[in-house]
């Protein structure tokens, strides 16, 4: 909480705000896709269920999964490529706008704005529904899926470890990126939302609850997805690993194909895509709130002198994110999306997580963290937390960072390889957030007085007054229940 208030004045804090803003510009594109599928799910037959549509290439379309026949595409894949995206051959050819997706992107941003324009109090109330409702859908889908033939094979594929994979560094890097994304680590959303809590809120309890809930949800979703994949493998007489995939293809290609073969698909398909919409909106609320909170905290009086109301500030941020997201809904937008996601949610995130952990645990220091927790909770954190802060977290993130650098692989979309200029653009996107770390350090050293060594020592000493009654009094009167912040952070 305290670091959140001081963070934007230092490089790591500002980098966190920038990466959250960049993430917000393209993440809502997924919500436009979910809306498109949602409104196409109410017909008597699902449009991705057959090859008899105008967008299908009949000569290489398969009504099921083609297996090893590499020249064939499933009907759901062609719906995604040729109907939803109207995909071009590469990032070199963006093509025109997909006007339907443009409209759905507007709808998605309108929903986001209406849920956050009153600040964290309105967001907290919305999240009671958007964070809890998906659990009902997940359990309903799980109960339905486990009764389908072949579900057992899919679940066994999910829970059976492949030990050789554990020695592949990229598996751990992607696992870390997944956890960082799902919990909000290094995005600033947890810090931003937690800054609205009461000063003596039990943050250690909340941290454990959020972490456990996140892991439980991931495992539950895994059972739901792989039981359905096992069912599809059974229907098409294919191995499970021929159907399992990752990335957007899992929820927008594989699972729609699964839904089309389920009994009462008119019920399950809309519910599934509505669930995706709820889950995506939760993440979008949190990351947009990071940018808004930063602007209010750092430049509030200056900004409100022109915008007059905080609601207009939220509107300005949403409009700017919408405009920057338009390239992703062109006909070649999927290539832009994949490039942004690779260099923001994987490359930049691991770098930022390491420097954030170092700044908090080693520079700010575990003794100071313990002292703050004692003042808030009345007792010192236990040995588990102190060990994590002092040793386990920094070393684990450092190992992931070094491994990701050593085994770096350029962004790809399927078989498509990006040109050199696009790779350069991707690295520029990464640097947009990372560059604030060295710039912040240089600025802090420059503004201090004395020799270089004295300036460095001064820059590494916290300026927080640990004897103050409450370092964040201005946020204590928002009457925001801790449970609202917990749910929002978990999302």
């Amino acid at each position: 909480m305290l670091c959140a208030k001081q963070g934007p004045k230092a490089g790591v804090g500002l980098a966190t705000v920038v990466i959250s803003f960049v993430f917000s510009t393209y993440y809502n594109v997924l919500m436009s896709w979910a809306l498109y599928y949602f409104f196409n799910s109410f017909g008597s037959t699902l449009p991705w269920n057959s090859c008899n549509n105008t967008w299908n290439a009949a000569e290489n379309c398969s009504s099921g999964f083609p297996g090893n026949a590499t020249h064939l595409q499933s009907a759901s894949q062609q719906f995604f490529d040729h109907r939803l995206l109207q995909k071009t051959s590469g990032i070199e050819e963006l093509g025109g706008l997909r006007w339907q997706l443009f409209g759905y992107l507007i709808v998605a941003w309108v929903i986001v704005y209406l849920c956050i324009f009153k600040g964290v109090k309105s967001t907290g109330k919305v999240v009671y529904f958007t964070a809890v409702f998906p659990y009902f859908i997940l359990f309903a889908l799980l109960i339905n899926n486990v009764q389908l033939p072949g579900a057992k094979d899919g679940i066994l594929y999910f829970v059976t470890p492949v030990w050789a994979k554990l020695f592949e560094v990229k598996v751990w890097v992607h696992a870390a990126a997944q956890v960082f994304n799902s919990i909000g680590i290094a995005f600033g959303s947890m810090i931003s939302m937690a800054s609205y809590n009461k000063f003596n809120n039990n943050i250690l309890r909340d941290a454990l609850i959020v972490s456990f809930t996140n892991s439980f949800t991931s495992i539950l979703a895994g059972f739901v997805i792989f039981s359905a994949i096992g069912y599809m493998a059974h229907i098409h007489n294919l191995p499970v690993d021929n159907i399992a995939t990752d990335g957007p293809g899992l929820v927008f290609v594989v699972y729609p194909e699964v839904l089309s073969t389920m009994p009462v698909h008119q019920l399950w398909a809309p519910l599934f895509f509505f669930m995706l919409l709820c889950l995506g909106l939760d993440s979008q609320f949190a990351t947009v709130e990071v940018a808004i909170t930063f602007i209010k905290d750092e430049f509030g009086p200056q900004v409100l002198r022109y915008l007059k109301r905080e609601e207009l500030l939220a509107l300005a941020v949403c409009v700017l994110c919408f405009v920057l997201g338009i390239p992703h809904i062109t006909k070649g937008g999927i290539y832009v999306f994949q490039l942004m996601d690779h260099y923001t949610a994987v490359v930049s995130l691991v770098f930022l997580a390491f420097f954030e952990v170092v700044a908090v645990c080693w520079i700010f220091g575990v003794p100071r963290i313990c002292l703050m927790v004692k003042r808030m909770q009345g007792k010192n954190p236990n040995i588990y937390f102190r060990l994590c802060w002092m040793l386990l977290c920094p070393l684990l993130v450092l190992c992931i960072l070094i491994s990701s650098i050593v085994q770096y692989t350029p962004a790809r979309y399927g078989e498509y390889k990006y040109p050199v200029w696009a790779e350069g653009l991707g690295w520029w996107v990464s640097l947009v957030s990372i560059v604030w770390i060295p710039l912040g350090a240089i600025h802090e050293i420059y503004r201090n007085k004395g020799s270089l060594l004295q300036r460095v020592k001064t820059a590494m000493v916290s300026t927080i007054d640990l004897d103050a009654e409450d370092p964040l009094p201005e946020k204590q009167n928002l009457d925001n229940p801790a449970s609202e912040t917990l749910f929002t952070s978990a999302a």
Side-chain angles (χ1 to χ4, degrees):
M1 220 187 318
L2 304 182
C3 298
K5 185 66 179 174
Q6 179 170 320
K9 297 178 182 176
V12 174
L14 187 53
T16 296
V17 174
V18 172
I19 197 173
S20 294
F21 177 77
V22 172
F23 183 80
S24 299
T25 63
Y26 72 85
Y27 186 80
N28 225 24
V29 174
L30 291 174
M31 299 307 96
S32 69
W33 297 354
L35 284 168
Y36 187 91
Y37 273 85
F38 175 74
F39 286 111
N40 279 274
S41 299
F42 290 98
S44 56
T45 60
L46 297 175
W48 53 83
N49 192 30
S50 73
C51 295
N52 301 322
N53 303 288
T54 56
W55 59 82
N56 292 123
E59 65 277 4
N60 67 340
C61 182
S62 169
S63 57
F65 283 96
N68 294 325
T70 54
H71 67 286
L72 295 178
Q73 282 186 316
S74 67
S76 58
Q77 181 70 61
Q78 291 201 355
F79 180 85
F80 182 72
D81 289 341
H82 305 319
R83 180 61 175 170
L84 172 72
L85 302 177
Q86 296 184 13
K87 189 177 69 171
T88 62
S89 59
I91 198 171
E92 304 91 339
E93 183 187 355
L94 286 182
L97 280 176
R98 283 286 290 112
W99 288 106
Q100 283 181 297
L101 293 182
F102 182 84
Y104 284 128
L105 187 61
I106 292 176
V107 172
W109 275 112
V110 168
I111 295 172
V112 170
Y113 174 72
L114 292 176
C115 293
I116 69 171
F117 78 106
K118 286 293 185 182
V120 73
K121 288 196 287 187
S122 63
T123 306
K125 292 179 175 63
V126 172
V127 168
Y128 274 125
F129 174 78
T130 57
V132 174
F133 175 76
Y135 285 101
F136 290 100
I137 304 302
L138 284 174
F139 278 112
L141 283 169
L142 181 62
I143 293 170
N144 176 76
N145 291 359
V146 295
Q147 302 177 64
L148 299 173
K152 179 181 176 182
D153 296 330
I155 292 174
L156 288 175
Y157 180 85
F158 173 57
V159 300
T160 302
V162 180
W163 299 109
K165 292 285 186 181
L166 296 178
F167 296 97
E168 295 182 13
V169 174
K170 67 178 182 180
V171 172
W172 291 96
V173 172
H174 285 289
Q178 167 61 28
V179 172
F180 290 174
N181 276 277
S182 59
I183 297 185
I185 295 173
F187 279 111
S189 52
M190 295 283 278
I191 296 173
S192 177
M193 294 297 179
S195 69
Y196 291 94
N197 270 328
K198 292 179 173 62
F199 181 68
N200 60 351
N201 182 64
N202 193 336
I203 58 171
L204 301 182
R205 177 205 62 196
D206 285 1
L208 288 173
I209 293 175
V210 169
S211 300
F212 173 80
T213 304
N214 177 72
S215 299
F216 169 77
T217 306
S218 298
I219 294 171
L220 174 63
F223 277 100
V224 172
I225 294 294
F226 278 90
S227 58
I229 288 176
Y231 167 62
M232 288 304 298
H234 174 81
I235 288 179
H236 297 290
N237 196 28
L238 292 170
V240 174
D241 57 359
N242 273 29
I243 295 177
T245 185
D246 58 4
L250 180 60
V251 292
F252 292 110
V253 175
V254 175
Y255 215 84
E257 180 78 22
V258 173
L259 292 168
S260 66
T261 63
M262 282 186 179
V264 202
H265 61 77
Q266 296 90 344
L267 170 66
W268 295 118
L271 284 177
F272 176 76
F273 292 113
F274 185 69
M275 178 189 72
L276 286 185
L277 187 64
C278 289
L279 293 171
L281 288 174
D282 285 341
S283 298
Q284 193 70 9
F285 295 159
T287 51
V288 173
E289 189 65 38
V290 172
I292 295 173
T293 300
F294 165 69
I295 295 172
K296 287 194 296 186
D297 284 358
E298 297 299 315
F299 310 105
Q302 299 94 312
V303 171
L304 292 178
R305 189 181 306 153
Y306 297 99
L307 296 180
K308 306 302 181 185
R309 297 171 62 88
E310 292 187 4
E311 290 88 344
L312 293 178
L313 172 61
L315 178 62
V317 172
C318 289
V319 170
L320 181 58
C321 289
F322 163 73
V323 171
L324 293 176
I326 290 176
H328 301 91
I329 53 171
T330 59
K331 295 180 180 180
I334 184 64
Y335 302 104
V336 183
F337 177 89
Q338 189 72 11
L339 188 71
M340 290 283 290
D341 193 51
H342 179 80
Y343 284 99
T344 301
V346 179
V347 176
S348 296
L349 200 60
V350 176
F351 273 91
L352 183 53
F354 172 71
F355 287 107
E356 190 174 293
V357 167
V358 168
V360 174
C361 297
W362 287 352
I363 296 178
F364 185 76
V366 173
R368 289 191 181 94
I369 298 175
C370 293
L371 181 59
M372 290 194 308
V373 172
K374 184 176 182 180
R375 290 195 61 248
M376 290 188 288
Q377 303 296 300
K379 59 181 180 180
N380 280 315
N382 60 42
I383 186 64
Y384 168 75
F385 283 103
R386 297 201 300 272
L387 185 62
C388 285
W389 295 332
M390 179 66 73
L391 192 63
L392 296 182
C393 290
L395 291 182
L396 178 60
V397 178
L398 177 61
C399 289
I400 293 174
L401 175 61
I402 293 173
S403 301
S404 63
I405 294 172
V406 171
Q407 299 195 8
Y408 164 76
T409 54
R412 296 182 66 172
Y413 179 68
E415 298 300 319
Y416 175 77
K417 295 181 180 179
Y418 286 87
V420 175
W421 66 264
E423 287 292 328
L425 179 63
W427 277 109
W428 182 84
V429 169
S430 287
L431 290 175
V432 164
S433 57
I434 297 173
V435 72
W436 296 105
I437 299 172
L439 288 180
I442 293 170
H443 172 73
E444 192 69 20
I445 292 171
Y446 175 78
R447 65 193 287 266
N448 292 331
K449 298 179 180 180
S451 65
L452 179 61
L453 182 60
Q454 289 173 328
R455 293 184 181 203
V456 172
K457 289 180 66 175
T458 303
M460 295 179 67
V461 174
S462 169
T463 58
I464 292 177
D465 182 7
L466 294 175
D467 295 324
E469 276 293 317
D470 186 349
L472 293 174
E474 73 276 13
K475 290 191 179 181
Q476 296 303 309
N477 298 321
L478 291 178
D479 192 28
N480 181 55
S483 57
E484 292 186 6
T485 300
L486 172 62
F487 274 124
T488 308
S489 301

